[in-house]
């Protein structure tokens, strides 16, 4: 049985979304981050980094949300998973791209335009992040057009799920998408998938 540690309003949304896409049963083990449960010994024994998400799948314990997603997709197969070693390579490439090129900047947009109380927001940080993200967003726009609206294999895969889950943090910056209508349509369609909606509701 799969246990997912975290809450939907965190990066645990990613494996929750994956589990719903795959139609696999899971138990959600809530970790109350406001109460600091992610730093308590019982949770550190599962993820010594003190972050969510983590999973337990039988004897296997894993952390790092996008790696968990790749693992679950490959384990359970179907359209979400790579069909070939080449597709596997591309899905890994896109997942690494999202965390290295996009995530930290997209988070600045989320924090300073949505999450932080208004008095603590620093608008310049979000504006700077938008400028940094223009280049990766143009790259994504070009690749989605070239590849028929999906990142790998002309179908919705774990690569789309991983990259969309990271890009969703940039939604509070509509100006980022004015020159990237394909990215915006792809992102909105991904986040509106029934599995994503179900995962958001826990
Ligand atoms: N690279 C990790 C990052 C995990 C992470 O930073 N999670 C946040 C929640 S979204 C967290 O646990 N924050 C609480 C803390 O660091 O104390 C992943 O993708 O799983």
């Amino acid at each position: 049985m799969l246990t997912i540690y975290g809450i939907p309003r965190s990066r645990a949304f990613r494996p929750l979304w994956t589990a719903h896409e795959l139609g696999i049963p899971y138990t959600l083990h809530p970790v109350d981050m406001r109460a600091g449960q992610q730093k308590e010994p019982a949770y550190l024994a599962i993820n010594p980094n003190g972050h969510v998400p983590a999973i337990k799948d039988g004897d296997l314990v894993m952390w790092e949300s996008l790696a968990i997603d790749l693992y679950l997709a490959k384990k359970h197969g179907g359209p979400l998973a790579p069909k070939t070693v080449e597709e596997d390579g591309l899905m890994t490439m896109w997942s690494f791209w999202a965390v290295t090129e996009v995530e930290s900047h997209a988070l600045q947009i989320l924090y300073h335009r949505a999450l932080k109380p208004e008095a603590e927001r620093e608008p310049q940080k979000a504006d700077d992040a938008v400028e940094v993200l223009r280049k990766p967003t143009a790259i994504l726009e070009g690749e989605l057009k070239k590849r028929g609206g999906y990142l790998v294999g002309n179908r919705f895969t774990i690569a789309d799920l991983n990259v969309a889950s990271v890009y969703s943090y940039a939604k509070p910056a509509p100006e980022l998408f004015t020159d990237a209508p394909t990215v915006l349509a792809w992102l909105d369609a991904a986040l509106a998938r029934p599995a994503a909606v179900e995962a958001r509701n826990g």
Side-chain angles (χ1 to χ4, degrees):
M1 180 63 163
L2 173 66
T3 304
I4 299 175
Y5 295 81
I7 52 167
R9 283 179 68 87
S10 74
R11 287 174 178 85
F13 168 64
R14 300 167 180 179
L16 288 168
W17 181 5
T18 303
H20 281 272
E21 289 284 353
L22 293 167
I24 52 172
Y26 66 86
T27 303
L28 178 61
H29 185 113
V31 177
D32 184 345
M33 289 188 283
R34 275 170 307 181
Q37 282 180 353
Q38 76 278 22
K39 308 293 184 208
E40 288 177 2
Y43 184 73
L44 290 174
I46 295 159
N47 183 353
N49 299 285
H51 299 316
V52 300
I55 63 162
K56 249 191 208 171
D57 190 25
D59 290 337
L60 177 74
V61 173
M62 270 188 85
W63 17 272
E64 281 304 325
S65 55
L66 301 189
I68 293 169
D69 290 351
L70 289 163
Y71 159 75
L72 289 174
K74 288 188 236 183
K75 176 170 178 178
H76 296 279
L80 215 58
K83 289 193 167 100
T84 60
V85 174
E86 288 75 15
E87 283 196 1
D88 193 1
L90 290 173
M91 291 180 195
T92 308
M93 176 191 84
W94 279 114
S95 302
F96 281 28
W97 180 80
V99 275
T100 57
E101 304 281 342
V102 177
E103 188 171 53
S104 61
H105 309 296
L107 273 171
Q108 291 299 311
I109 294 172
L110 184 69
Y111 290 150
H112 293 287
R113 291 212 183 160
L115 278 194
K116 282 182 180 281
E118 287 210 19
E120 292 173 28
R121 291 184 197 168
E122 295 175 63
Q124 191 60 48
K125 288 198 170 162
D127 295 349
D128 290 348
V130 170
E131 290 315 309
V132 175
L133 284 179
R134 287 198 187 283
K135 188 174 161 199
T137 305
I139 290 168
L140 187 53
E141 177 74 10
E143 293 293 315
L144 283 170
K145 277 187 183 150
K146 201 165 74 187
R147 294 164 194 263
Y150 295 105
L151 294 177
V152 180
N154 289 307
R155 64 188 192 280
F156 182 84
T157 70
I158 200 68
D160 299 285
L161 188 156
N162 276 352
V163 179
S165 69
V166 171
Y167 248 93
S168 67
Y169 299 159
K171 284 278 290 178
E175 74 271 37
L176 181 60
F177 302 103
T178 44
D179 293 335
T182 314
V183 173
L184 186 60
W186 162 87
L187 181 56
D188 285 343
L191 297 172
R193 288 173 70 85
V197 176
E198 287 159 14
R200 222 170 282 128
N201 297 331

